[in-house]
Amino acid sequence: MTTQVRSCPKCFQLMWLKQNEYEPLDEATIRAKCPHCGSTVRFKLVAEGANATGPKMGH
């Protein structure tokens, strides 16, 4: 995986997480620590559907 850009559910700041800054829990979930508030947060990865490869920007 590459850099993940996520919004922290606790402090709502954007987190730019490099591959060494998050931990895969399974094939659909990652865990990371927010660099702003220090909370440990969990995210589901989108694997199916229109957003599976990311948003289509500018089209």
Side-chain angles (χ1 to χ4, degrees):
M1 273 189 234
T2 58
T3 301
Q4 294 284 321
V5 180
R6 303 291 177 140
S7 176
C8 177
K10 307 280 184 183
C11 68
F12 305 106
Q13 297 288 320
L14 282 180
M15 303 184 295
W16 292 76
L17 302 169
K18 297 180 187 140
Q19 191 167 5
N20 62 344
E21 296 176 327
Y22 58 85
E23 172 187 355
L25 298 177
D26 56 35
E27 57 274 345
T29 310
I30 60 171
R31 179 172 55 192
K33 187 173 183 179
C34 176
H36 305 288
C37 67
S39 297
T40 301
V41 293
R42 213 182 291 187
F43 297 106
K44 290 280 188 189
L45 300 174
V46 177
E48 296 178 7
N51 291 331
T53 59
K56 314 288 189 280
M57 300 184 72
H59 299 285

